Amino acid sequence: MGTLVLDGISKVYKGSTAVHKVNVTIERNEFATIVGPSGCGKTTTLRMIAGFIEPTDGVITLDKEELVNTARSTFLQPERRGIGMVFQSYAVWPHMNVFENVAYPLKLRKMNKADMAAKTREILRIVHLDAYEKRFPHELSGGQQQRVALARALVMEPRLLLLDEPLSNLDAALREQMRIEIKEIQRKMGITIINVTHDQVEAMTMSDKVIVMNSGHVVQVGSPMEIYNRPANSFVAKFIGSANVIPCQVVERNSGPTMTVRLFDTTLEIPAFDTNRNEGWVSVRPHHIVPDSHSSLRGKITNKLYQGDRIEYHLQVQNEKIAVVTDASESNNYNLDDEMGINILQGVWLED
Ligand SMILES: Nc1ncnc2c1ncn2[C@@H]1O[C@H](COP(=O)(O)OP(=O)(O)O)[C@@H](O)[C@H]1O
Ligand SMILES: [Mg+2]
């Protein structure tokens, strides 16, 4: 099951570029997530892989088979690609019960009745719907309907499963449960999955590989840890987790693994970055800034967001607005308009 390669994939609509020269490889059995804000080109990319949209430019290969190659005018029809897809809206047939919905693709393939029933029941067990096979869609919750759609895609044993924000219409608790279940199904069945979401938590928690898109461009590809710890630019730093992006100057290019930058009126040692610029930005996570009453670096508290186990403060530090996250201990309990002394513990260099 499927290694997918996107090579220079673009989609232009009447002169406006929805997807620009995307190069990505998704390995077999990988769980990859395309994440980015609304309108950045996620659905367009996914539908080009499925074959519902023809790219303006580029090549897509699955298991070394060319699905589309614009230079050679090859285009494999969607139904011949062996790809399953689940959409945000629950695309299940209202006049068919659960069993019939899931069995339908096998019926189209003219599978014999006994094999069809066995295969359908096997998949229904995997998605925890075996007790519901006689129910009709209107007798199911949103989460159950989405499981029917998932089962119907899985019953085909697709080489690749594409998920376009399938969880975004579910409430928060159900969404979290479905994330865990989809991961379990993937492990059990050993399938390659490409998931699309605008939710960075979903991207981080579910994926082996995260593909961050912005304005039609892929801006970074990496493991969740790589993306979080080494954001490629300030967009990624802010979009994946929250980050303070603070202007800084390079004061010393140490020969070792670190370099020293100046931000506000203080210096900070950060991981060395191969840059010839003297000015840039440093990304500092809110929990890497800690209150310190003795520090000369101070800010005025403009917002306080109590979150039970932690408190998020917004500080005005010189010309910058800074977020600080602390444990909700008594010693960290400040009031609105108080001055807070802070220490910046760590950060990473950003070029733009
Ligand atoms: N059929 C279309 N005609 C013109 N523009 C489109 C069409 N489909 C999508 N777009 C544009 O392409 C961009 C990417 O859309 P889409 O892939 O749906 O984004 P996402 O799924 O990330 O929200 C958007 O600016 C959108 O308006
Ligand atoms: Mg979309």
Side-chain angles (χ1 to χ4, degrees):
M1 295 230 217
T3 299
L4 180 81
V5 182
L6 305 191
D7 183 3
I9 288 296
S10 297
K11 182 67 192 179
V12 180
Y13 289 111
K14 294 195 195 87
S16 91
T17 305
V19 172
H20 185 75
K21 291 188 180 153
V22 165
N23 298 306
V24 179
T25 299
I26 287 141
E27 307 293 342
R28 128 208 282 266
N29 292 356
E30 200 164 46
F31 194 111
T33 297
I34 304 175
V35 64
S38 177
C40 72
K42 305 181 295 294
T43 294
T44 305
T45 303
L46 211 63
R47 295 180 78 90
M48 288 193 283
I49 298 168
F52 301 129
I53 295 176
E54 205 170 337
T56 312
D57 237 316
V59 182
I60 303 178
T61 346
L62 179 58
D63 293 332
K64 304 210 170 76
E65 179 188 15
E66 274 185 6
L67 303 181
V68 57
N69 182 334
T70 53
R72 299 207 289 174
S73 299
T74 42
F75 183 83
L76 195 64
Q77 291 303 317
E79 63 275 12
R80 298 186 53 209
R81 294 188 180 197
I83 295 175
M85 188 153 175
V86 179
F87 304 91
Q88 180 176 345
S89 55
Y90 322 126
V92 292
W93 290 296
H95 59 288
M96 290 184 197
N97 69 26
V98 167
F99 182 93
E100 291 161 344
N101 259 285
V102 176
Y104 190 72
L106 302 178
K107 202 171 160 186
L108 285 185
R109 276 198 196 165
K110 308 212 185 328
M111 186 183 265
N112 77 58
K113 275 215 164 112
D115 289 350
M116 187 167 84
K119 183 80 207 163
T120 301
R121 296 215 162 93
E122 178 198 331
I123 299 292
L124 287 176
R125 259 195 308 280
I126 289 173
V127 301
H128 305 302
L129 283 176
D130 34 340
Y132 295 85
E133 58 174 69
K134 293 269 159 24
R135 295 245 195 132
F136 283 85
H138 73 271
E139 299 169 317
L140 299 173
S141 69
Q144 288 165 337
Q145 289 185 45
Q146 199 54 305
R147 270 175 235 211
V148 175
L150 187 61
R152 202 181 46 198
L154 290 172
V155 82
M156 301 280 285
E157 296 180 356
R159 292 195 279 177
L160 178 66
L161 180 64
L162 307 178
L163 308 173
D164 192 357
E165 312 219 23
L167 308 183
S168 59
N169 285 342
L170 307 179
D171 66 56
L174 189 55
R175 194 156 60 221
E176 212 153 295
Q177 183 193 339
M178 287 289 287
R179 280 178 194 158
I180 294 166
E181 283 184 20
I182 289 174
K183 282 297 286 179
E184 281 174 2
I185 289 167
Q186 192 223 3
R187 277 197 295 269
K188 247 185 256 176
M189 299 186 67
I191 41 179
T192 310
I193 294 182
I194 307 178
N195 180 44
V196 154
T197 185
H198 60 270
D199 180 339
Q200 55 96 8
V201 174
E202 185 175 316
M204 295 285 277
T205 54
M206 295 187 80
S207 317
D208 305 308
K209 180 178 277 174
V210 178
I211 299 153
V212 187
M213 285 188 78
N214 189 24
S215 312
H217 293 255
V218 168
V219 286
Q220 192 169 7
V221 179
S223 71
M225 270 192 192
E226 284 164 356
I227 302 267
Y228 186 81
N229 291 329
R230 267 298 188 186
N233 58 28
S234 54
F235 169 81
V236 179
K238 288 176 179 166
F239 194 76
I240 304 289
S242 53
N244 296 296
V245 174
I246 306 165
C248 71
Q249 300 90 40
V250 177
V251 288
E252 208 175 321
R253 287 169 214 281
N254 317 347
S255 53
T258 63
M259 64 191 209
T260 307
V261 295
R262 170 168 291 280
L263 67 164
F264 299 123
D265 304 319
T266 181
T267 57
L268 181 68
E269 229 175 279
I270 62 173
F273 192 93
D274 186 17
T275 180
N276 45 26
R277 290 205 214 159
N278 287 320
E279 303 212 319
W281 290 266
V282 64
S283 164
V284 180
R285 299 294 179 186
H287 62 276
H288 288 147
I289 304 178
V290 292
D292 173 3
S293 54
H294 303 297
S295 173
S296 59
L297 180 60
R298 309 186 79 78
K300 189 176 167 182
I301 297 173
T302 59
N303 264 310
K304 179 182 180 181
L305 306 165
Y306 175 67
Q307 296 166 9
D309 57 338
R310 25 187 226 154
I311 308 172
E312 179 176 332
Y313 293 102
H314 296 168
L315 264 58
Q316 186 71 40
V317 180
Q318 298 171 16
N319 293 325
E320 304 293 324
K321 285 191 174 23
I322 299 297
V324 177
V325 170
T326 69
D327 299 337
S329 66
E330 202 43 52
S331 63
N332 286 331
N333 196 7
Y334 291 76
N335 295 315
L336 214 57
D337 296 327
D338 279 357
E339 273 227 329
M340 187 194 280
I342 52 170
N343 274 329
I344 299 176
L345 301 182
Q346 54 172 284
V348 293
W349 174 267
L350 299 172
E351 286 280 284
D352 55 40

